[in-house]
Amino acid sequence: MSTATPAATPNPFQDAVQQLQAVADRLSLSAGTLAMIETPKRELTVRFPVEMDDGSVRVFEGYRVQHNDARGPFKGGLRFAPDVGLDEVRALAMLMTWKCALVNLPFGGAKGGVSVDPDALSDCELENLTRRFTSELGSFIGPDRDIPAPDMGTDARVMAWIMDTYSMSHGRTVPAVVTGKPVSVGGSLGRYKATGRGVLITMEELGRRRRENIAGLGVAIQGFGQVGSVMAELLHAAGATVLAVSDAECGYYNPRGLDIPALLQHRSPGGRILEPPSGAERVTNAELLELECDYLIPAAVGGVITRRNADRIRATIVVEAANAPVSPDGEQILMGNGVTLMPDILANAGGVTVSYMEWVQDLQSFFWEEDEVIRRLEQIMRRAFAEMWDTADRERATLREAAYLVGVRRVIEAMETRGIFP
């Protein structure tokens, strides 16, 4: 009988802290300062009942973690997924703090979630769950306190329910309490494609510095939800060869390139590929990660590249379109193999950047045309990339270390300027 001890499940919060600690020495942080920025400011765990369609009652567990608000109100997504847990939410809240600071938005980081499979709920049950969770959050959220946004398992419709529930409890319409809403209730033009467009901008900037054009490069994309499908569409339009894509169940690979317009015509709203693409070979999500390609874009879930498979990654560049898809130990292996890694806190910052624009438009009740939103997004993302790149060159750091150096410095500066009260 084997007495081998099974490998421990990676802890996403410990990984996030490890990434922070990797740049702490470069920043000469005191033990007290490091302790303050490692630790979320507030955490809320709620357990709440929801009446189901058959008349039964189920109790769900939800979370909202507010990491740091030195630079402004908390900002972060809200996910509905079966495996949502407190450590995952803590990690994502911390990443949001650095992300907002890196692209120089006046926000701090937050994240939230409910442990539920949204696909197993009817529309009525999903609405009941959303509204009850919103009421449980109470004064934890607000347009000048904490502004949620869509994430895994949530969408514009869910944000509209949150806005309506919050507004009803305050006796007036408060569109700025969430972002990622439908345009009809205060959402911003350009928001749906913002995350994917932001990823493309960072790839263009990296390509300029590597003296290579995206057109003709081979790309594999794990995930075909909002971010992955938009990425496939934009990259195809830019002339890249999209070699492979996948949904939650499986992927498809064609060395000559997939017909992306046809795939988009056969995609469910939840990101499922409904019909196998012509001429494509079926692959697993794990196999997709190990395909030979120029760019590998994990755009689905976190923790997909670790020490277990990093040595088999054959991409030249890994672009983290998802949150934390590469673990710290996996990253060390990639770096040792000469793989360039574009960190998530910049690569997928397009979403929160346009969310910021939506928030501003809601507060002012003055809305912009889509080309204005895209222009501002490009300006912010290209400037942030340049700051990261120049820092990496000056500090002889990896791109992730450089992104953290820029973001964490800004948070520390705000904290030191404000001081400690009393």
Side-chain angles (χ1 to χ4, degrees):
M1 183 175 65
S2 173
T3 58
T5 303
T9 302
N11 183 298
F13 183 59
Q14 291 176 358
D15 285 351
V17 170
Q18 182 178 339
Q19 289 171 336
L20 171 62
Q21 291 172 338
V23 300
D25 289 342
R26 289 178 180 266
L27 294 168
S28 301
L29 299 183
S30 68
T33 299
L34 181 58
M36 284 192 293
I37 61 175
E38 280 182 345
T39 308
K41 184 172 184 177
R42 297 188 190 95
E43 297 180 352
L44 176 69
T45 299
V46 295
R47 297 171 187 88
F48 56 96
V50 175
E51 185 173 353
M52 312 304 285
D53 289 344
D54 62 4
S56 64
V57 173
R58 287 180 58 190
V59 175
F60 294 90
E61 185 164 286
Y63 314 94
R64 189 70 181 176
V65 173
Q66 298 172 338
H67 176 254
N68 185 289
D69 64 347
R71 291 173 46 86
F74 299 103
K75 186 82 186 76
L78 179 67
R79 58 177 50 182
F80 291 171
D83 57 353
V84 168
L86 188 54
D87 276 336
E88 176 191 27
V89 177
R90 286 170 175 155
L92 295 171
M94 180 186 287
L95 292 177
M96 279 299 300
T97 297
W98 316 140
K99 183 185 303 183
C100 291
L102 174 60
V103 294
N104 211 14
L105 303 179
F107 289 137
K111 205 74 175 187
V114 177
S115 180
V116 59
D117 179 1
D119 293 335
L121 302 181
S122 69
D123 285 351
C124 182
E125 290 169 339
L126 182 61
E127 181 176 356
N128 288 346
L129 179 141
T130 300
R131 290 184 181 275
R132 182 57 192 254
F133 181 55
T134 303
S135 68
E136 294 288 344
L137 292 175
S139 61
F140 226 65
I141 62 172
D144 56 359
R145 184 169 189 179
D146 184 352
I147 306 104
D151 199 276
M152 184 188 308
T154 60
D155 55 17
R157 180 178 60 165
V158 171
M159 295 303 109
W161 289 333
I162 295 174
M163 185 205 80
D164 183 70
T165 305
Y166 183 91
S167 297
M168 291 303 100
S169 67
H170 286 73
R172 59 188 174 88
T173 300
V174 189
V177 69
V178 292
T179 58
K181 305 177 297 296
V183 173
S184 60
V185 290
S188 176
L189 295 171
R191 175 62 182 85
Y192 182 82
K193 293 186 177 182
T195 304
R197 193 178 299 279
V199 177
L200 178 63
I201 292 168
T202 62
M203 292 173 64
E204 289 173 343
E205 289 298 305
L206 181 62
R208 279 203 314 116
R209 287 157 177 82
R210 291 172 58 90
R211 294 181 172 82
E212 62 186 18
N213 198 307
I214 287 177
L217 295 179
V219 182
I221 304 172
Q222 186 191 55
F224 209 55
Q226 178 176 335
V227 178
S229 63
V230 169
M231 280 304 310
E233 178 184 9
L234 294 176
L235 285 166
H236 178 79
T241 302
V242 181
L243 303 171
V245 299
S246 67
D247 60 20
E249 295 178 355
C250 69
Y252 296 96
Y253 166 67
N254 187 331
R256 295 180 298 277
L258 297 169
D259 184 347
I260 297 303
L263 263 176
L264 292 170
Q265 291 293 319
H266 299 97
R267 170 187 174 273
S268 75
R272 292 286 194 273
I273 299 171
L274 302 177
E275 290 186 18
S278 176
E281 170 190 350
R282 184 167 174 143
V283 295
T284 66
N285 269 288
E287 290 169 339
L288 181 145
L289 294 171
E290 299 171 13
L291 293 172
E292 186 173 352
C293 57
D294 297 301
Y295 281 80
L296 171 63
I297 307 177
V301 297
V304 296
I305 298 177
T306 68
R307 60 181 175 81
R308 294 185 178 88
N309 65 344
D311 212 30
R312 299 193 297 274
I313 301 301
R314 292 188 286 168
T316 304
I317 299 166
V318 174
V319 181
E320 293 186 312
N323 288 312
V326 181
S327 69
D329 52 7
E331 182 173 352
Q332 289 298 316
I333 295 171
L334 293 180
M335 296 297 101
N337 291 342
V339 177
T340 298
L341 188 143
M342 178 74 69
D344 51 356
I345 64 170
L346 179 64
N348 66 28
V352 71
T353 300
V354 176
S355 276
Y356 164 66
M357 298 181 204
E358 180 178 333
W359 179 70
V360 168
Q361 292 171 82
D362 286 336
L363 292 175
Q364 296 179 339
S365 297
F366 181 80
F367 293 86
W368 308 334
E369 297 297 329
E370 186 169 7
D371 59 353
E372 175 70 6
V373 173
I374 294 172
R375 182 187 69 79
R376 290 174 181 266
L377 170 64
E378 290 183 345
Q379 181 182 45
I380 291 170
M381 294 292 294
R382 294 189 197 283
R383 182 181 63 217
F385 184 97
E387 290 171 337
M388 177 190 70
W389 185 268
D390 292 346
T391 300
D393 185 56
R394 183 175 63 252
E395 304 279 352
R396 297 185 178 181
T398 68
L399 293 183
R400 190 190 303 283
E401 288 170 341
Y404 269 64
L405 288 169
V406 174
V408 176
R409 276 179 180 143
R410 286 178 174 155
V411 174
I412 297 298
E413 180 182 1
M415 293 171 65
E416 291 178 345
T417 300
R418 293 178 60 162
I420 298 176
F421 176 82

